[in-house]
């Protein structure tokens, strides 16, 4: 929701109309990646802070330094902040901007996947491990070889394979990798090197992970998101095309790839038959929230499905001070998702 429109919002009224309230309110959290491990819910969000950075379209004001893990015994129980799980100072390769993470589990070890800007100003994706789902996590000394951009999401398929999905436009730098090499020209422009509106939109990436989950087992490949006619979505189709916040979940044997449209603030989804796609666009999951960003995850808890998301209602519209929320989602008989409005009329 645009910054200029928040001046006229009555936040007391808005928060009464919100379909859910912040899970925690003593710190600001965003970009929630939710999982169930050992019967408990664990949420891996960004930890928003006000670092005093100027607002820009590169996201410099999103100057997060660490991660906290939130846990819940059940979907209705109190959310618990388990303190600092990983700090940028403890990641040798990372300089700043600990953006949206994800986590997963394998053989009793918990893996935290996170993007950060390296000392050369290029976003990479790192891995940290712990014997506990709440950390503390110990980072690998180097980022994943061949990794780039932001918003990692790690999906475990039924056959035990793990896939990492990632990518983001503008400050996420994916447009700077169009040739396979990082284009450092026009460093202050978030939109340099984007395709024209009538060209295919830039695509997110996926790579299968090695058995130890520390590296890509293959070169990352693009994920095709198609329209109803089987054509790639166009760059100018910014109410449907991918911008950031990749997530994958499986429902009734189908693979659901969901994401944010960024500058139009929708959470959308597309459906495919395998983890690599192609995925056919099917619709919106969440209408725009208060705040510029929208970022989510989808998780099954006790045979119901939930959307974990964030908005800036608690901070009264400050875009980089967000709060994690959750709401149940339901499916139609044809497998499509019933879209949610974050605030009732």
């Amino acid at each position: 929701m645009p910054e200029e429109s928040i001046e006229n919002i009555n936040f007391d009224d808005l928060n009464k109309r919100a379909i859910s309230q912040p899970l925690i309110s003593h710190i600001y959290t965003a970009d929630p990646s939710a999982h169930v491990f050992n019967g408990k819910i664990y949420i891996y969000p960004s930890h928003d802070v006000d670092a005093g950075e100027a607002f820009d379209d590169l996201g410099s004001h999103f100057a997060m330094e660490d991660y906290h893990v939130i846990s819940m015994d059940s979907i209705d129980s109190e959310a618990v902040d388990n303190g600092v799980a990983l700090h940028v100072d403890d990641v040798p390769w990372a300089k700043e901007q600990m953006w949206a993470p994800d986590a997963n589990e394998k053989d009793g070890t918990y893996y935290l996947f996170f993007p950060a800007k390296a000392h050369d100003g290029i976003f990479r994706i790192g891995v940290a491990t712990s014997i506990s789902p709440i950390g503390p996590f110990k980072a690998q000394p180097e980022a994943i070889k061949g990794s780039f951009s932001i918003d990692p999401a790690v999906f475990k398929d039924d056959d035990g394979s793990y896939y990492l999905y990632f990518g983001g436009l503008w400050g996420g730098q994916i447009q700077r990798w169009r040739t396979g090499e990082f284009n450092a020209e026009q460093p202050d422009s978030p939109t340099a090197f984007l395709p024209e509106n009538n060209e295919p939109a830039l695509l997110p990436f996926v790579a299968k992970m090695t058995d130890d989950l520390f590296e890509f087992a293959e070169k990352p490949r693009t994920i095709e998101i198609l329209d109803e006619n089987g054509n790639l979505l166009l760059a100018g189709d910014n109410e449907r095309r991918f911008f950031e916040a990749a997530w994958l979940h499986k429902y009734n044997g189908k693979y659901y790839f969901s994401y944010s449209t960024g500058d139009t603030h929708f959470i959308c989804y597309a459906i495919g038959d395998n983890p690599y796609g192609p995925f056919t666009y099917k619709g919106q999951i969440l209408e725009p929230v208060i705040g510029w960003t929208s970022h989510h995850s989808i998780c099954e808890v006790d045979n119901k499905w939930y959307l974990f998301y964030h908005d800036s209602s608690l901070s009264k519209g400050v875009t980089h001070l967000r709060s994690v929320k959750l709401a149940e989602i339901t499916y139609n008989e044809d497998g499509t998702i019933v879209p949610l409005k974050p605030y009732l009329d």
Side-chain angles (χ1 to χ4, degrees), residues 93-99 114-118 122-125:
W93 63 267
K95 181 186 177 189
E96 60 190 358
Q97 290 180 294
M98 302 283 269
W99 284 10
F114 61 95
K117 265 191 187 162
I122 298 175
F123 268 111
R124 306 284 183 186
I125 296 169

Side-chain angles (χ1 to χ4, degrees), residues 40-116:
K40 279 185 71 168
I41 303 159
Y42 295 92
I43 305 165
Y44 299 85
S46 307
H47 174 205
D48 281 353
V49 292
D50 197 347
E53 297 287 341
F55 284 60
D56 62 34
D57 286 335
L58 290 170
S60 303
H61 47 299
F62 296 98
M64 297 87 97
E65 298 177 353
D66 63 15
Y67 297 112
H68 290 226
V69 182
I70 299 168
S71 58
M72 302 171 70
D73 289 333
S74 70
I75 207 73
D76 299 315
S77 68
E78 183 182 1
V80 175
D81 168 18
N82 293 283
V84 176
L86 179 68
H87 194 283
V88 67
D89 291 348
D90 297 319
V91 183
W93 63 267
K95 181 186 177 189
E96 60 190 358
Q97 290 180 294
M98 302 283 269
W99 284 10
D102 189 20
N104 220 313
E105 179 273 339
K106 184 177 183 181
D107 300 332
T109 297
Y110 297 88
Y111 296 78
L112 183 70
F113 300 86
F114 61 95

